Amino acid sequence: MNSSTIPSLNNVRYKSARNSLLFIVILSIVNLFTTVLAQFYFVFSAWIPQQMITVGYFLTEQSGSAVWTWVFGIIGAILIVPYVLCLVFSKKHVGWMIGALVYFSLDSLVFLIDFVSLITSGDLSLITNLVFRIAALVLLALGVKYGIQLKKEQDAEAVPTAAQADAILGDETENAYSGVTRQITVARKKAFVGMAMPLPIYVNDQEVCRLKNGETKSFTAPAEAITLAAMFATGGAVGKTAVPAGDSNISYEVSIKSGMMANEILFRQTGTEF
């Protein structure tokens, strides 16, 4: 498990996917109430639980007994429980995110049957639902993808690399630069994304400066091999780069690349002064 305070990009993307699952859970629960009390529902949600409460409300209207709304409402709530379990346990195990994708896919299959039935009769009311459902499926699928990649990262970090082994045993190159420093210059490329927020720059998880949009700053860093990183305070964008050992001054340009799940911060070396 990575003990770094700066998460990897896959970590941020996986967290974003879990937030999407959280919205599905919340809106699915809310729909159990709004469908009956206000006759409207949110589309970024599970379909079957909503249909359960709808059936219960219809039977109540027909029979005059509110017990049907309660019975089918409870059934709908029970059907949301698996989503809650997947949300809670997916924090540490990507298998639960896979389970959420499968469960929502089955829910979508039922939705698709209803969608085809209505659209063949000329009713286009579920078009918006279809668009949001596709988006939800894509986000959950990406969550599985980035969760698996994150798991691979964590497994790789559990095995010491050659560089880590050298650090433990005492690598001569690293020792040669012990106590030596160098200047690193980082220029933040002007961009619309995140323009109003300062961008913190880190060396080995320690913040060394903050860059405004288009600003350039220099700072002193160890000559040993270091990790140069950047991350917005909101956690919506993150990036890292490995800087090899050496006493030469180095310049980097940092830019922000927009992404669907999270923005990526890119470091590009622009110069070296010997």
Side-chain angles (χ1 to χ4, degrees):
M1 183 69 67
N2 187 4
S3 59
S4 173
T5 58
I6 310 298
S8 68
L9 183 60
N10 285 323
N11 195 315
V12 174
R13 286 169 170 169
Y14 186 58
K15 183 179 179 180
S16 178
R18 291 187 67 247
N19 287 338
S20 298
L21 179 55
L22 174 61
F23 279 117
I24 291 174
V25 170
I26 293 174
L27 296 181
S28 297
I29 294 173
V30 170
N31 282 349
L32 294 179
F33 298 94
T34 59
T35 301
V36 173
L37 300 177
Q39 282 75 56
F40 78 88
Y41 61 89
F42 296 95
V43 294
F44 197 78
S45 58
W47 178 253
I48 299 177
Q50 177 194 322
Q51 295 310 297
M52 289 295 100
I53 193 67
T54 301
V55 170
Y57 181 70
F58 174 78
L59 292 175
T60 293
E61 288 288 298
Q62 294 296 312
S63 65
S65 175
V67 68
W68 293 111
T69 299
W70 282 101
V71 169
F72 281 88
I74 291 172
I75 294 173
I78 292 173
L79 291 172
I80 296 173
V81 170
Y83 290 110
V84 176
L85 294 176
C86 289
L87 174 64
V88 172
F89 293 109
S90 63
K91 183 175 183 179
K92 293 185 178 180
H93 304 284
V94 67
W96 287 91
M97 181 60 76
I98 296 174
L101 175 61
V102 172
Y103 193 49
F104 194 75
S105 296
L106 294 175
D107 183 88
S108 299
L109 181 60
V110 176
F111 165 81
L112 188 60
I113 294 172
D114 292 341
F115 175 79
V116 172
S117 176
L118 288 176
I119 203 169
T120 51
S121 64
D123 188 343
L124 305 179
S125 60
L126 293 183
I127 291 292
T128 302
N129 299 61
L130 178 64
V131 172
F132 277 87
R133 182 158 293 271
I134 291 173
L137 285 168
V138 170
L139 291 172
L140 292 177
L142 288 174
V144 171
K145 173 185 175 182
Y146 295 127
I148 292 174
Q149 291 180 355
L150 177 60
K151 179 65 166 60
K152 290 179 179 178
E153 281 183 4
Q154 294 171 343
D155 290 343
E157 288 168 358
V159 180
T161 62
Q164 290 170 330
D166 286 340
I168 295 172
L169 298 175
D171 178 69
E172 291 184 2
T173 302
E174 287 292 316
N175 290 337
Y177 292 110
S178 179
V180 180
T181 60
R182 55 183 162 179
Q183 288 292 114
I184 294 182
T185 301
V186 180
R188 179 180 174 182
K189 187 177 181 180
K190 272 196 172 183
F192 177 77
V193 179
M195 60 181 296
M197 294 186 292
L199 179 62
I201 303 297
Y202 300 85
V203 170
N204 294 340
D205 291 345
Q206 298 296 317
E207 184 178 330
V208 292
C209 68
R210 293 194 171 205
L211 299 176
K212 297 178 181 178
N213 198 23
E215 188 177 19
T216 299
K217 285 187 178 181
S218 298
F219 51 86
T220 301
E224 295 100 335
I226 61 172
T227 297
L228 188 63
M231 181 179 71
F232 281 123
T234 58
V238 66
K240 297 181 181 182
T241 188
V243 181
D247 55 6
S248 302
N249 297 331
I250 307 177
S251 299
Y252 287 92
E253 179 187 68
V254 60
S255 58
I256 304 169
K257 179 182 178 182
S258 297
M260 183 174 181
M261 303 295 288
N263 296 327
E264 182 179 6
I265 299 175
L266 303 174
F267 285 90
R268 182 176 67 87
Q269 185 172 338
T270 56
T272 303
E273 296 179 9
F274 296 96

